[in-house]
Amino acid sequence: MADSEVQSSKNGQTASVTDQSPPDRTEDANLNGQANDGKVSKNAAKKAAKQEKLAAEKADKSSSKKTPKTDSVAKGEQKATGPRGKKEGADEKEVAYRKEENFSKWFEQVITKGDMIEYYDVSGCYILKPAAWAIWEEGIQAWFNKQIKKMGVKNHAFPMFVSQAQLEKEKAHIEGFAAEVAWVTHAGKSKLEQPIAIRPTSETVIYPYFAKWIRSYRDLPYKMNQWNSVVRWEFKHPQPFLRSREFYWQEGHTAHLTKEGAGEEVLQILEHYAGVFEQLLAVPVIRGKKTEKEKFAGSEYSMTVEGYIPATGRGIQGATSHCLGQHFSKMYGISVEDPAAKEGEKRDRLHVWQNSWGLSTRVIGVMVMTHGDNLGLVLPPRVAEYQVVVIPVGITVKMPDADRTSLYAQVDAIAAVLAESSVWNAPLRIHVDKRDYYSPGWKFAEWEQKGVPLRLEIGPGEIAGHYVSTARRDVPGKDGKSRIAITELGTEVRRLLERIQADLYARADEAFKSHVVRVTDWADFVPALNAKNVVLMPHCLTEECEDEVKKLSARQEDTSDAPEDEKAPSMGAKSLCIPFEQPEGLVRGETKCTTPGCGRGAEKWCLFGRSY
């Protein structure tokens, strides 16, 4: 259906929408289920006044009772001894905690009330619901698959189990995971002769088969990826998306003839990871190299993209790309004949150069922590399950059935026009909410909580004026509201979604850049951390000095049983990365390491921070 076919027959001309104020229906946008149709009838107003009067009388009676019992506190009112950061008068369906005051509680409520996850009866494991899985599958996985397949990577699927012998074959590698490995010891009531591990990562699962499949230099490069879950068990205080015992990820494993070929791919993959954060999730990252202390166990070197959470002032590792060197190929006998040998000469066996790289559902948590607000989720349009929600408004009990049917038909026609539109080379993802047992205000609040980027309101006034009312999720209140002429709907909705995506990134990027602080005097280091910054400082890059930085920047108190975000002010700082983009001012041979008592020359500016 063409845009023009959606217009009301009451007026043959499209009304100007730029010089009219959009209707403000958010005053009644709540989750208490009360009737709210955007245009309050006289009966509804009388009913609301009566309810308000009854509530006031009830509150007066409650306050007049001379009793110390806690149930005399008015409903929704927080006692002075209540949880830190909890909103007074918060409805049970609302996000009850403020992001800036109780971050861990806020995060927990945002992802549960936003319908992203459900808690499971095994601690540290979670059910990812459609709103979260769509971000992973339709947003991240689809985009990343497209990028890596252009590079010649093919998807595989390996078993989740690994024998004890294979897992323990590479000692340095498994030391990094030993405490986290989950073991299967019984089949029914029978004890297994040898326990079987559930993969914490797949190097030891895959590489015996690389040795079997890669027999000639003509088989190189060999590039594979798999989308799977892994299990890492030993830790306290699990957090959904950030630190769970089972999590989903992709892990790529490749083999190359030369060090140069492997190194080129490491950086190519790292740039794709940066694309996931910056292009899809609207989250800025710093690209860099891990220090020797922080690199992946058993690797030659590790590259990383590092994020930042403004609300807590903590860094967070986004994704990593590792050059494994020839370490694993020598361990597993993955070698080929030297193609450079001349005819008639003995062809020596060359061990291949290997890479591994991975990105997990942690990225969803980073996105939520970066953009979410005190109302709930704020989702970037590129990955949201629904980019647009359409809500009919102005439907009253007294509305004739014919008018109601006509309005719904107009709403369906507008939705059909939008469904034929596209953004980022894909059809718009739209949901029309015609549930008539909830008021429009209730639905406004629900979809705001779920973070849908753009809300369209369509009622009799909109149809008569040939426009739709819009509300941006990332800009709450009147500033985020506007109108779009129906004739321009497809084009303008696309432009508005692109603007929302760009604005989300710009705000996050400004917050990140303003909290990267350069320090050359140790006296400034801890105060900078306490001001919720990450710190760039000249460093010698030795493990000894990294340990000293962590020790000196930590408060000496026992917080082992505290939630992760409660530990943040007291935890020591660790190196996040050596940024590729190095500031000026460090002179090799002259500039000293900033760590107290070191005395060695600084090698690079290194980024430190308290981190997840």
Side-chain angles (χ1 to χ4, degrees), residues 173-190:
H173 172 66
I174 196 54
E175 278 181 7
F177 298 102
E180 300 175 340
V181 177
W183 294 93
V184 178
T185 59
H186 287 73
K189 295 183 179 180
S190 302

Side-chain angles (χ1 to χ4, degrees), residues 111-160:
I111 57 177
T112 52
K113 292 177 184 290
D115 210 26
M116 275 194 155
I117 68 127
E118 181 66 64
Y119 283 83
Y120 195 58
D121 65 352
V122 176
S123 176
C125 297
Y126 310 94
I127 301 166
L128 299 191
K129 300 183 76 175
W133 195 253
I135 293 171
W136 182 244
E137 180 183 40
E138 299 173 23
I140 296 166
Q141 186 173 350
W143 184 88
F144 191 74
N145 263 332
K146 185 177 180 181
Q147 309 310 313
I148 61 175
K149 286 180 179 180
K150 290 178 185 176
M151 299 168 54
V153 179
K154 294 184 178 181
N155 285 324
H156 293 49
F158 278 79
M160 71 169 65

Side-chain angles (χ1 to χ4, degrees), residues 398-450:
K398 293 184 178 181
M399 176 179 277
D401 289 344
D403 290 350
R404 184 190 301 261
T405 301
S406 175
L407 177 60
Y408 279 148
Q410 294 279 12
V411 169
D412 288 339
I414 289 172
V417 169
L418 288 172
E420 294 174 2
S421 304
S422 64
V423 62
W424 294 293
N425 300 314
L428 280 174
R429 298 188 290 276
I430 307 160
H431 179 74
V432 181
D433 189 346
K434 292 196 286 188
R435 294 175 294 173
D436 57 6
Y437 45 89
Y438 288 128
S439 68
W442 194 95
K443 289 187 279 190
F444 292 171
E446 182 187 46
W447 290 110
E448 283 178 353
Q449 198 171 78
K450 291 183 175 182

Side-chain angles (χ1 to χ4, degrees), residues 261-282:
E264 182 179 339
E265 184 197 74
V266 166
L267 294 177
Q268 193 174 6
I269 290 294
L270 192 73
E271 201 55 37
H272 290 329
Y273 285 155
V276 168
F277 281 95
E278 296 175 343
Q279 296 177 42
L280 303 186
L281 304 179

Side-chain angles (χ1 to χ4, degrees), residues 489-556:
L489 199 57
T491 300
E492 290 304 313
V493 166
R494 174 179 58 79
R495 288 178 180 171
L496 193 49
L497 291 172
E498 291 172 342
R499 171 51 54 195
I500 292 169
Q501 184 81 20
D503 287 351
L504 283 172
Y505 180 83
R507 286 193 288 268
D509 190 46
E510 182 181 1
F512 195 172
K513 287 178 178 176
S514 65
H515 284 86
V516 179
V517 176
R518 296 184 197 178
V519 165
T520 55
D521 186 335
W522 178 257
D524 299 325
F525 185 85
V526 174
L529 291 178
N530 292 341
K532 295 186 176 181
N533 296 305
V534 289
V535 177
L536 271 171
M537 72 174 189
H539 199 261
C540 65
L541 306 182
T542 64
E543 288 194 32
E544 177 187 350
C545 272
E546 282 195 56
D547 290 338
E548 189 70 5
V549 167
K550 187 170 186 178
K551 176 183 175 182
L552 293 174
S553 59
R555 290 183 187 168
Q556 301 302 312

Side-chain angles (χ1 to χ4, degrees), residues 54 56 59 63 68 86 102 138 145 166 176 250 280 313 327 365 375 384-385 412 425 429 434 475 529 564 605:
L54 289 172
S63 62
K86 191 170 185 179
N102 195 330
E138 299 173 23
N145 263 332
Q166 286 293 350
Q250 62 71 216
L280 303 186
H327 189 70
L375 295 177
E385 180 185 18
D412 288 339
N425 300 314
R429 298 188 290 276
K434 292 196 286 188
V475 184
L529 291 178
E564 280 297 312
W605 288 92

